[in-house]
Amino acid sequence: MQKKVKVKPNSKQQKIEEQADGSLTVYLKSPPVDGKANEELIKLLAEKFDVTKSCIRIKSGLSSRQKLIEIDTDI
């Protein structure tokens, strides 16, 4: 499964909002430095979709706020 994700780093609280088009807006506490925000994003998405962190890959947008995430739910 693939999801479009918009990331908002340096937020006051962590949360995930589902948009009307099926994409996600993810608010992260981490700053976008040294991959910290990407690590937090993967951890949050793993909890939301009840999969391990290794099942989630950032396909595109590694250093962008707009990301394409692939979630392997076939395990």
Side-chain angles (χ1 to χ4, degrees), residues 1 40 51 58 68 73 75:
M1 155 174 50
E40 185 182 351
V51 295
I58 300 175
L68 183 62
T73 55
I75 296 176

Side-chain angles (χ1 to χ4, degrees), residues 5-10 24 32 41 61-67:
V5 176
K6 185 174 186 179
V7 177
K8 301 206 174 194
N10 291 324
L24 301 174
L41 172 67
L62 206 56
S63 60
S64 166
R65 287 175 188 243
Q66 300 283 345
K67 302 182 186 298

Side-chain angles (χ1 to χ4, degrees), residues 27-64:
Y27 296 85
L28 303 172
K29 288 183 177 179
S30 302
V33 180
D34 298 331
K36 285 184 172 38
N38 286 339
E39 286 176 31
E40 185 182 351
L41 172 67
I42 288 171
K43 183 174 172 254
L44 270 176
L45 290 175
E47 289 171 11
K48 177 177 172 51
F49 292 103
D50 198 27
V51 295
T52 61
K53 290 191 285 187
S54 61
C55 292
I56 295 179
R57 283 190 304 282
I58 300 175
K59 287 198 67 158
S60 65
L62 206 56
S63 60
S64 166

